Amino acid sequence: MSNLEIIIACAGLAVITLITRAFFMIPEREIPLPTWLKRGLKYAPLAALAAVIAPEIVMSNGHLISTLADARLPALAVAVVYFFYKRSILGLIALGMLIYLPLHIGLGW
């Protein structure tokens, strides 16, 4: 690809991103949404996060993990139990990494 094609592609992606993200801010008044859609949109960030994180936890190199000696599993278990009792996202991340890193780096899991 030439430099001009790369610049045009980046500019096009920027314009498309700007239009799609600003779409709801363009109208002068609020767009009426059905109650069921408003209720469903509350769960969209959680669903997106789960869709990104779940494959990273259960897959390795495009295949399901085949052994329980994977550092992600104990880190996940401890982090989920912690979150169940404390409801702290920051604590969940910190504790998960505190379990994951020694197992992954130290033991090579």
Side-chain angles (χ1 to χ4, degrees), residues 15-83:
V15 169
I16 289 170
T17 301
L18 179 67
I19 290 171
T20 57
R21 294 195 182 243
F23 181 74
F24 291 104
M25 293 185 279
I26 294 171
E28 292 180 9
R29 61 181 180 83
E30 185 176 336
I31 298 172
L33 295 174
T35 305
W36 62 268
L37 182 58
K38 287 181 184 178
R39 207 172 46 242
L41 286 175
K42 289 181 183 177
Y43 300 103
L46 179 61
L49 185 63
V52 170
I53 291 176
E56 289 296 324
I57 292 172
V58 298
M59 298 182 81
S60 179
N61 297 326
H63 301 288
L64 288 174
I65 55 174
S66 58
T67 177
L68 293 177
D70 191 312
R72 294 174 288 187
L73 297 177
L76 173 68
V78 171
V80 166
V81 169
Y82 175 83
F83 184 76

Side-chain angles (χ1 to χ4, degrees), residues 10 94 96:
C10 288

Side-chain angles (χ1 to χ4, degrees), residues 72-101:
R72 294 174 288 187
L73 297 177
L76 173 68
V78 171
V80 166
V81 169
Y82 175 83
F83 184 76
F84 181 74
Y85 288 108
K86 297 289 186 172
R87 301 284 185 199
S88 167
I89 297 289
L90 182 60
L92 172 125
I93 294 169
L95 186 60
M97 291 308 291
L98 187 69
I99 301 296
Y100 173 78
L101 286 175

